[in-house]
Amino acid sequence: IDWLLAGYNVTLRDRAIAIVGRGRLVGAPLAKLWLGGDLKVTTYDESTIDLRSELRAADVIVTATGVPGLVTSDMISPGKVIVDAGTASEGAEIVGDVAADVRERQDITITPERGGVGPLTIAALFDSVIAAARKTIDPALL
């Protein structure tokens, strides 16, 4: 997600960041990483009472719940940055946490529906595997 945001020239410093979902694969580790970097991060889950108001106040929103269409257009203020890292199956189709009506908007920045977080996650995994293999061959490489 950091690589993806860097590709869009999105900076996180001094911005209100909302992470929707506290799962062990995306939400929790991302919150830990960004909080460790002294960023302003708040996480939300199914116990959040008014998710709409919370998301409208955030500058950057990362969704990682696996709940299809959870985040709708009325939850997003203009000018926001949205990273849809959630995936779920809906029938025979893989969908994200962000509803289709959000993707139609021209006043926000949003990750691609296809070719966004998933492929970069795979690239990051390969990068780690290659770095580990190099370290095994010659520890001075890292």
Side-chain angles (χ1 to χ4, degrees):
I1 290 173
D2 280 339
W3 284 0
L4 187 62
L5 291 172
Y8 280 95
N9 295 315
V10 173
T11 57
L12 299 176
R13 181 95 24 231
D14 299 322
R15 297 183 87 182
I17 304 166
I19 299 176
V20 184
R22 296 182 183 173
R24 65 180 176 86
L25 294 178
V26 179
L30 189 60
K32 183 178 179 182
L33 176 73
W34 285 350
L35 286 167
D38 205 27
L39 297 175
K40 186 180 170 187
V41 177
T42 306
T43 57
Y44 302 98
D45 61 16
E46 64 274 355
S47 67
T48 302
I49 294 172
D50 188 3
L51 185 60
R52 179 185 181 277
S53 292
E54 299 294 344
L55 294 186
R56 288 189 64 78
D59 298 311
V60 177
I61 300 164
V62 178
T63 65
T65 66
V67 177
L70 174 69
V71 177
T72 57
S73 189
D74 69 310
M75 300 170 123
I76 311 295
S77 299
K80 305 306 177 171
V81 174
I82 301 144
V83 177
D84 187 355
T87 60
S89 359
E90 201 168 61
E93 188 176 347
I94 301 295
V95 296
D97 294 345
V98 175
D101 64 342
V102 177
R103 294 194 172 280
E104 295 170 4
R105 292 182 50 177
Q106 301 300 311
D107 62 343
I108 59 172
T109 301
I110 188 167
T111 53
E113 191 169 11
R114 303 278 183 260
V117 176
L120 284 177
T121 301
I122 293 166
L125 290 171
F126 274 111
D127 188 53
S128 295
V129 168
I130 291 167
R134 286 183 173 162
K135 186 176 180 181
T136 300
I137 294 168
D138 184 357
L141 291 173
L142 294 179

